[in-house]
Structure formats: C-alpha cells, structure tokens
Amino acid sequence: MKKTVAGTIRVELGERSYDVVVGVGNLSVSAELAQRINLKARVAVVTDEKVAPLYADKVIDALGKKGLKAGLVVTPAGEEAKNVNTLAALWNKFVELGIDRKSLVVALGGGVVGDLAGFAAGTFLRGVDYIQVPTTLLAQVDSSVGGKTGINLPAGKNLAGMFHQPRGVVIDVETLKTLPDREVRAGLAEVIKYGVIWDEEFLGFLESNITGLLSLDPAILVKAVLRSVEIKAAVVASDETENGLRRILNFGHTLGHVLENLAGYGKYLHGEAVAWGMMVAARLAAEMKMLSHSDADRLTALLEKLTKLPQVKGVSAEQVVGGTKRDKKTVAGTVHYILPEKLGRVVVRSDVDEDMVLRVVEGYISRG
Ligand SMILES: NC(=O)c1ccc[n+]([C@@H]2O[C@H](COP(=O)([O-])OP(=O)(O)OC[C@H]3O[C@@H](n4cnc5c(N)ncnc54)[C@H](O)[C@@H]3O)[C@@H](O)[C@H]2O)c1
Ligand SMILES: [Zn+2]
C-alpha cells in the first residue's frame, strides 16, 4: 500500500511536546515513532474487538519489522467497556506481557480505546509511555490529542481519569473507510466545531467539500483532520489542564451532554448530541444579539448536510435546562455557555438568561 504522510503538527507542551502525524495509509509510521521513543521497548498494542481484525496485524507487523516485540490486548468494543473492570483487565495484561517503566503502550482504536489505554498506561507502574493511533474521525480530531484519559463510573461519564499526554499520535485517514457512516458524521460534528470556535475560513472549506468529506476523499479528509488537530493543538498548548481557553472546545457540549444523558445511553452518538447543542447554542447567541440569525442559519445548514441532527422529542425544555445545572463542568450552580460572537470566534458566558435558554431550547424540541 502506498504510504503518504501529509503533514505533522507539533503539540507544544514543553518537555511533554509531541507530534501528530497525519497521512494516508501511514499506519506503519506508528512503528517508526515507537522505535524513536525507545529502540528496545516491549510494546503492548491495545485495541478493541472490532478494530483488532481490521488493523492490529498491520501495526504489529510494522513494529516487528523495526525489531520491536509487541503483545496484543483486545478489549470489548463500545462505550460500555470504558469501565473499571476493563481497566483492571488491562493492568493485568500488562503484567502478563512484562510491561515495565521503559515499555510503550499503543492505543489503536476509537476514543474508548484511547481513553482506556491512555489511563491504563498513565497509572500502570506510576506511568508508562503511550502513543495514540486513532481510527475513528472523532478520535482523530479530538480525543487522541490533548492527554485527557479516563473511564466512566456508574454515576457518570469520565468521572475517573487523569491528564497523561501521549508521546505521539499517528493518524491514518484511510482507516475511516471501514467506519460506519453514522460514526463519520458524528466525527464531522467536532470538525465543524473547530471552524465555529476558531476559523471561519475552515467552515467555508467544509461547506465547499460536502461530497468529498462524506465520500471520504483522502485529500479532503487529510485537510479537514490537519486543520482540526492544528486548532485543538493550539488550544491545548495554551491551556493544558482546562482552566481557561480549553473550555471553548466545549462549544455545543453544555446542551449536547444534557441531551445525551436525558435520551439515555445509546440513543444518540456523542457527536450527534453535540451537533444539536451547537445548533441551539448558535440560535441562543442570535437571540442574545451576539450573532446574526443568518450566521446561525448558515451553521444549521452545514450541520444538516454533514451530521445527523437529532429530532428531539419526549423531553421538555425544563429538563434540558435543569440538566445543565448538574453538568460536571458547572461551577457553584453557574452554567457556562460557549457562544459564538461570529462564526470563527466564541466567548464563555455565565450570565445567560435562563428564560431565554428555555425559549430557544423549546424551539428545537418537536411535538407529537
Ligand atoms: N479524551 C478526550 O479528550 C476525549 C474527547 C472526546 C471524546 N472522548 C471519548 O471518546 C469516546 C468516543 O470515541 P469514539 O466515538 O471514537 O467511539 P468508539 O471508540 O466507541 O468507536 C466507535 C465504534 O467504532 C468502532 N471502530 C473504531 N475504529 C473503527 C474503524 N476504523 N472501522 C470500523 N469500526 C471502527 C469501534 O469498535 C466502536 O464500535 C467516548 O468515550 C468519549 O468520552 C474523549
Ligand atoms: Zn465532544
């Protein structure tokens, strides 16, 4: 297979800096990276049961060609597997494989594998290096970059976790060919998010390449992923542990998370709920006269084309607004909304009138 590396983005975090390599058919770059980190490392490749038969051999063969011995660890697929039992199973597998402080963990898969394997690596022997090889669009543009790792608890999502930056990230957009269309569209919601929070021109690029994006044209995908990662890297570099600027990455997430929880597990994908949250937040900004209604319309039109927007029913606006107050990120009862001032720039607002939120949310819940 022809291997092309299209670009490399540096995540600048002092001594924890690392590269994100984006390309087409470049899975084997993970082995080059592993070799550069440690020539003689024992490697554990962590993946899930769906990704294993698709890509594990390619990565393990490439590691073998570099003289690196790799053991394969396969977890169950899906969000339900992101729990303490799977984490404990990973730790035990690391013991079996003889993973030591100089070893390397490779997280090959979607955000679930990345979060789990990253957390397992961060906590095993008080911290083992790992690299991310994300194979979903969401993981490529979002979860693999930034060092957030963790698991879900029965009481809520991502409640146990740590910041553990990877030593590198290798993105092969060709792996998206096997990803279900619904998952691709969920990832595209996060791609659109980067345009709204940072770069209006990028939104224009997305608008002009609807077909290319949905048909997974490698050249278009590479551009979309590169720009998304560049924006995430810039935000993370300025705020590694989410005290300030990094909060803008939550655009669409305040309302999106509530919808995800209210609808119940499995009804909407995260990206679908976020697409809805972005649509509603933009309208809220328009009602607050921060953004023009035509810009809110423009975002809605793009979301309609590239994502699968939930047709929300069976919940009330009061339930949605109530849910925002229980959000993990709500500090002392004050709900923060990330709202666009224009497409390409957002601000954090903590003074949003609750009645206005109720009214706007109401308009996005269908009756009957
Ligand atoms: N750490 C962070 O900063 C961060 C950011 C956003 C989301 N997340 C987390 O990411 C998780 C969601 O990630 P996700 O959307 O990638 O879900 P996922 O990891 O569950 O992957 C979705 C599905 O696609 C399958 N899959 C993965 N790659 C494939 C491929 N190339 N071809 C075919 N099937 C493939 C998986 O087996 C799974 O069934 C959530 O747990 C969320 O909390 C973390
Ligand atoms: Zn998200």
Side-chain angles (χ1 to χ4, degrees):
M1 200 202 315
K2 222 175 96 236
K3 169 180 104 183
T4 325
V5 170
T8 299
I9 289 149
R10 183 94 178 144
V11 185
E12 291 290 353
L13 292 168
E15 58 184 20
R16 286 185 305 285
S17 298
Y18 53 94
D19 285 338
V20 182
V21 182
V22 181
V24 187
N26 60 319
L27 271 184
S28 63
V29 171
S30 54
E32 290 165 32
L33 181 66
Q35 194 190 34
R36 227 179 305 140
I37 294 168
N38 182 354
L39 210 55
K40 297 193 197 69
R42 199 169 265 278
V43 183
V45 176
V46 179
T47 189
D48 73 26
E49 63 200 352
K50 285 195 192 160
V51 179
L54 296 169
Y55 304 111
D57 280 355
K58 280 190 192 138
V59 171
I60 289 174
D61 288 354
L63 287 162
K65 284 199 185 111
K66 296 285 173 195
L68 291 163
K69 265 217 190 71
L72 180 64
V73 187
V74 181
T75 66
E79 190 68 34
E80 318 90 274
K82 207 174 113 173
N83 62 35
V84 69
N85 295 328
T86 316
L87 176 69
L90 281 180
W91 285 329
N92 289 324
K93 267 291 192 181
F94 291 171
V95 174
E96 261 175 51
L97 291 171
I99 296 299
D100 62 25
R101 291 288 293 271
K102 295 225 153 58
S103 297
L104 184 73
V105 170
V106 177
L108 172 69
V112 167
V113 164
D115 281 12
L116 260 171
F119 191 33
T123 43
F124 191 70
L125 303 177
R126 298 200 180 79
V128 172
D129 284 338
Y130 77 115
I131 62 177
Q132 291 272 19
V133 187
T135 61
T136 65
L137 184 56
L138 180 125
Q140 295 184 347
V141 300
D142 192 353
S143 60
S144 67
V145 178
K148 277 206 221 173
T149 72
I151 57 168
N152 303 326
L153 299 183
K157 278 193 68 178
N158 300 319
L159 286 184
M162 69 185 297
F163 284 97
H164 182 42
Q165 296 293 345
R167 293 292 306 273
V169 182
V170 176
I171 297 176
D172 176 356
V173 299
E174 203 150 74
T175 60
L176 302 180
K177 292 226 162 103
T178 51
L179 195 66
D181 178 66
R182 192 175 169 195
E183 299 280 352
V184 172
R185 287 176 180 269
L188 285 170
E190 304 279 0
V191 171
I192 293 170
K193 177 187 81 178
Y194 292 113
V196 179
I197 66 171
W198 202 266
D199 184 354
E200 189 192 356
E201 218 175 285
F202 184 47
L203 277 182
F205 167 80
L206 299 175
E207 286 167 332
S208 317
N209 288 284
I210 306 283
T211 321
L213 287 162
L214 292 174
S215 66
L216 304 178
D217 178 322
I220 304 291
L221 276 180
V222 155
K223 278 193 185 152
V225 171
L226 271 173
R227 187 62 188 137
S228 298
V229 171
E230 218 164 57
I231 295 168
K232 174 132 194 199
V235 174
V236 167
S238 78
D239 175 22
E240 187 178 359
T241 54
E242 200 168 337
N243 300 310
L245 187 67
R246 197 163 170 169
R247 287 193 299 181
I248 70 172
L249 296 171
N250 286 320
F251 171 59
H253 285 61
T254 308
L255 294 165
H257 278 148
V258 177
L259 178 64
E260 241 180 317
N261 295 337
L262 281 179
Y265 171 72
K267 173 109 165 101
Y268 302 122
L269 294 178
H270 171 75
E272 293 167 0
V274 168
W276 186 82
M278 291 193 289
M279 171 173 75
V280 180
R283 190 63 62 193
L284 181 60
E287 287 296 321
M288 290 169 71
K289 306 211 179 329
M290 298 169 60
L291 183 76
S292 70
H293 277 285
S294 67
D295 276 345
D297 293 343
R298 182 179 162 199
L299 175 60
T300 302
L302 183 60
L303 289 167
E304 273 166 357
K305 288 185 187 129
L306 284 181
T307 74
K308 186 169 176 278
L309 276 170
Q311 299 299 315
V312 178
K313 48 178 164 184
V315 300
S316 68
E318 285 76 14
Q319 278 176 301
V320 174
V321 172
T324 60
K325 294 181 190 156
R326 286 187 293 275
D327 193 87
K328 180 170 71 169
K329 297 210 164 72
T330 300
V331 185
T334 308
V335 184
H336 292 87
Y337 285 91
I338 319 297
L339 297 175
E341 291 185 314
K342 64 187 208 67
L343 294 177
R345 194 169 67 223
V346 288
V347 290
V348 182
R349 293 281 295 256
S350 52
D351 58 342
V352 181
D353 178 49
E354 197 176 301
D355 288 335
M356 186 174 284
V357 183
L358 277 170
R359 192 153 41 79
V360 173
V361 169
E362 185 78 30
Y364 288 94
I365 297 175
S366 33
R367 281 161 221 298

